[in-house]
Amino acid sequence: MAEANKRGATATAIDYAHAADEVMLRAADFVRDQHNPEKPTLLPLSRRTVERRVAAGTFPQPTKIGRATCWRLGDIRRWMAEQLGTAEGAT
């Protein structure tokens, strides 16, 4: 389903379950949106938390494409699997 962003452009919701690992995502595509809490997201993190984790080396490094900062969906999926493995190992 398409929704208008603040610039008037439409964005299509991403079907993360069926998207290829090579899909490039900007932070707005996968982090929590404080202005639209009902928007489904891949991660329950804020943009700033992702930036801090990248700086600390605890989140995948992004790739620059022109002026855009993007992450490969596959890198985020692997990071999520590692976090689940760590949490399961702690119990």
Side-chain angles (χ1 to χ4, degrees):
M1 178 191 283
E3 59 185 57
N5 66 17
K6 60 186 168 187
R7 294 183 187 161
T10 56
T12 304
I14 298 168
D15 182 6
Y16 299 111
H18 297 100
D21 282 347
E22 293 76 27
V23 169
M24 300 299 284
L25 302 173
R26 296 181 74 172
D29 295 327
F30 65 86
V31 297
R32 173 172 53 82
D33 182 357
Q34 66 183 9
H35 301 292
N36 185 6
E38 279 77 41
K39 175 186 168 195
T41 60
L42 186 60
L43 299 175
L45 305 174
S46 70
R47 179 186 306 261
R48 183 65 185 123
T49 298
V50 169
E51 292 170 356
R52 282 195 289 268
R53 289 184 178 202
V54 167
T58 59
F59 193 79
Q61 290 292 316
T63 300
K64 292 292 274 187
I65 300 176
R67 291 175 32 186
T69 302
C70 303
W71 285 262
R72 287 183 64 247
L73 178 56
D75 293 342
I76 296 171
R77 285 178 174 155
R78 276 188 288 289
W79 177 83
M80 290 170 60
E82 290 170 7
Q83 301 310 301
L84 288 173
T86 302
E88 289 173 1
T91 58

